[in-house]
Amino acid sequence: MSIKKYFIIIWFIVSLTSVSTILHAQEAGWYLGAGAGLSKVDVKQDLWSDNSVSNASLDTSGFAYQVYVGYRLHANFALEISYLQPADTVFKGVSNGSVTLWLPGNIKGETHIGGTALNVLAFWPGNPARMQFYLKGGLLMWDSKINYSATINDLKGFNDRGASPIGGVGIQLRLVKGWDLRAEAIYSTAQLADRENVGMSFAFLGISDSFN
């Protein structure tokens, strides 16, 4: 992770505590959580394939997870830092090696994306409601990588970094005191090989502990 990203995260953490002294909410406090589910990364086959490739297949969905820590500023608002890891995508095919990037034979390409998100959450209704709906939005600082199997120029892959807006909706259900169940859908984007923007959709089910 770059130094710039560290500074942004440190600034965000400082903001969590400084803003809380202004709002003085009854339910203010730290919470920690994690979620797991499915993701879909909208990689197109054109990223890998050309006229030399046959028997091509592309898997763009699979297991994803997130971990997060946040600070409840108010019954209706929270600030949150999370790490998101979507499923890798995998391309497979057979190349005849004619005027192409690929060597003849079986070929494979993979994408790997992960990132840290800084979010603001708005809850409705406020506590002490047992069930709350929420909207979340902020900035995802992502790292992406694509890997190639054997190529004609020994190209192994590309790394890229950047930031994109992120947003989502969810439902939070109080299980017992301090423990909540979350179901949410999230969407953001990232870039691959400094040339192709891809959408990323997430569906998570998770649990959090508010230490209250």
Side-chain angles (χ1 to χ4, degrees):
M1 185 179 292
S2 66
I3 294 177
K4 182 178 179 181
K5 288 185 180 180
Y6 278 119
F7 277 121
I8 293 175
I9 292 173
I10 291 171
W11 171 85
F12 193 75
I13 293 173
V14 171
S15 297
L16 293 180
T17 54
S18 63
V19 175
S20 67
T21 61
I22 300 173
L23 296 180
H24 297 293
Q26 182 180 359
E27 291 294 323
W30 291 95
Y31 62 89
L32 179 69
L38 297 174
S39 69
K40 179 176 175 58
V41 182
D42 295 326
V43 175
K44 300 297 187 292
Q45 202 168 106
D46 291 346
L47 178 68
W48 308 105
S49 189
D50 56 27
N51 293 332
S52 76
V53 177
S54 60
N55 299 323
S57 67
L58 179 60
D59 186 3
T60 60
S61 60
F63 175 78
Y65 68 88
Q66 67 167 337
V67 292
Y68 54 88
V69 61
Y71 193 87
R72 194 74 175 244
L73 303 167
H74 183 270
N76 296 97
F77 297 101
L79 298 178
E80 192 173 285
I81 302 174
S82 61
Y83 178 80
L84 286 87
Q85 180 68 67
D88 297 339
T89 72
V90 181
F91 170 81
K92 294 180 180 179
V94 179
S95 175
N96 61 26
S98 62
V99 192
T100 179
L101 171 69
W102 304 101
L103 290 174
N106 294 326
I107 60 174
K108 183 179 181 180
E110 297 177 324
T111 70
H112 312 276
I113 304 172
T116 301
L118 310 179
N119 285 307
V120 177
L121 281 71
F123 293 87
W124 182 89
N127 285 338
R130 182 177 178 84
M131 178 182 291
Q132 294 179 298
F133 299 90
Y134 62 89
L135 299 175
K136 65 190 300 184
L139 188 69
L140 175 66
M141 295 176 291
W142 47 262
D143 294 276
S144 70
K145 184 177 182 179
I146 66 175
N147 293 330
Y148 297 87
S149 61
T151 60
I152 58 176
N153 57 4
D154 292 327
L155 178 67
K156 298 300 182 182
F158 293 95
N159 295 311
D160 203 1
R161 294 180 176 86
S164 302
I166 184 171
V169 296
I171 300 173
Q172 181 165 288
L173 177 67
R174 176 57 55 94
L175 299 176
V176 294
K177 182 175 176 60
W179 290 92
D180 297 291
L181 181 69
R182 273 192 185 184
E184 64 180 20
I186 304 172
Y187 182 82
S188 189
T189 61
Q191 193 172 72
L192 297 171
D194 199 29
R195 60 188 171 91
E196 181 165 332
N197 289 314
V198 295
M200 299 183 293
S201 304
F202 302 85
F204 288 123
L205 184 66
I207 193 166
S208 65
D209 180 7
S210 63
F211 307 112
N212 291 330

